[in-house]
Amino acid sequence: DIQMTQSPSSLSASVGDRVTITCQASQDITNHLNWYQQKPGKAPKLLIYDVSNLETGVPSRFSGSGSGTHFTFTISSLQPEDIASYYCQQYDTFPCSFGQGTRLHIK
Amino acid sequence: QEQLLESGGGVVQPGTSLRLSCAVSGFNFNNFGMHWVRQAPGKGLEWVAVISYEGSKRYYSDSLEGRFTISRDTSKNTLFLQINSLRPEDTGVYFCAKRRAIFMLTFGGGDALDFWGQGTMVIVSA
């Protein structure tokens, strides 16, 4: 099974900061990497699919990049409503798998 | 407007069984594969199972040891998850989610979970 290692597990940043989260796959997953946002007590929400494609309605301050085994998720200018946990997910090989998550706090 | 509504959770004793349901509306249920994902209290997301759009193919997490069965009833626009021999470690919120790609029989090779229900809580405790 493919293991997804996400870092950091927790992150504190100020409004307006650029925030970056990384996700490492245990084997090549080409571009089959998605990012989800989950606010406390809510369902996850798909933000980005296939590394860099923004889901409809997702603000352009969110972006993704990478290929193969190393991937990056970026918020260009952190907003108060971005406080949430973020998860990467590989959908290359089943069973599909999630990273352990990054909890984002406001400093 | 896609909507998914889970039900069937509750407090149950170890060793018993439970059937979770996910009623969907706002999209053609017959055209999309469906997933179950769970989340233990304070923990991350754990993928559980997927079923193809027409119900012939299923795939499960290796960790479930054959205790889980995913199924669907197209006449009722409903997805199910049968859980047998419940254990305390099965405690958590169970989410159903729609597969993004239409008419796909293969698993893997790219896709995503584009709409999720709010989840149903399962607590396994004596």
Side-chain angles (χ1 to χ4, degrees), chain A residues 1 32 34 36 38 41-44 46 49-50 55 87 89 91-96 98 100 103, chain B residues 35 37 39 43-45 47 50 59 62 95 99-100 107-114 116-118:
Chain A
D1 295 0
H32 301 143
N34 307 317
Y36 299 85
Q38 186 182 29
K42 301 294 186 182
L46 176 65
Y49 63 95
D50 291 348
E55 185 71 343
Y87 296 90
Q89 179 209 24
Y91 209 107
D92 182 79
T93 304
F94 266 65
C96 65
F98 292 92
Q100 71 269 36
R103 189 167 293 186
Chain B
H35 293 262
V37 175
Q39 186 170 37
K43 302 297 184 182
L45 301 173
W47 179 80
V50 62
Y59 204 108
D62 296 339
F95 298 99
R99 187 174 177 174
R100 193 174 188 279
F107 301 136
D111 200 3
L113 285 62
D114 63 351
W116 297 61
Q118 288 303 304

Side-chain angles (χ1 to χ4, degrees), chain A residues 45 56, chain B residues 1-5 23-29 77 98 114-116 118:
Chain A
K45 174 186 175 183
T56 303
Chain B
Q1 182 77 8
E2 292 85 345
Q3 292 192 3
L4 298 86
L5 183 63
V24 313
S25 60
F27 64 95
N28 193 332
F29 181 64
N77 277 5
K98 170 188 166 289
D114 63 351
F115 288 97
W116 297 61
Q118 288 303 304

Side-chain angles (χ1 to χ4, degrees), chain B residues 55-75:
Chain B
S56 69
K57 297 188 176 185
R58 300 166 174 83
Y59 204 108
Y60 298 94
S61 169
D62 296 339
S63 67
L64 304 180
E65 301 178 7
R67 298 183 296 116
F68 289 51
T69 302
I70 188 172
S71 61
R72 61 193 299 160
D73 185 335
T74 54
S75 69

Side-chain angles (χ1 to χ4, degrees), chain B residues 29-106:
Chain B
F29 181 64
N30 297 341
N31 295 349
F32 295 92
M34 298 291 295
H35 293 262
W36 286 100
V37 175
R38 69 181 180 179
Q39 186 170 37
K43 302 297 184 182
L45 301 173
E46 179 187 11
W47 179 80
V48 171
V50 62
I51 187 168
S52 58
Y53 73 95
E54 30 71 282
S56 69
K57 297 188 176 185
R58 300 166 174 83
Y59 204 108
Y60 298 94
S61 169
D62 296 339
S63 67
L64 304 180
E65 301 178 7
R67 298 183 296 116
F68 289 51
T69 302
I70 188 172
S71 61
R72 61 193 299 160
D73 185 335
T74 54
S75 69
K76 297 179 180 178
N77 277 5
T78 302
L79 175 73
F80 300 102
L81 185 68
Q82 175 76 31
I83 312 174
N84 298 327
S85 303
L86 278 153
R87 304 170 180 173
E89 55 264 36
D90 295 321
T91 293
V93 178
Y94 285 72
F95 298 99
C96 62
K98 170 188 166 289
R99 187 174 177 174
R100 193 174 188 279
I102 193 170
F103 294 137
M104 290 295 288
L105 282 175
T106 57

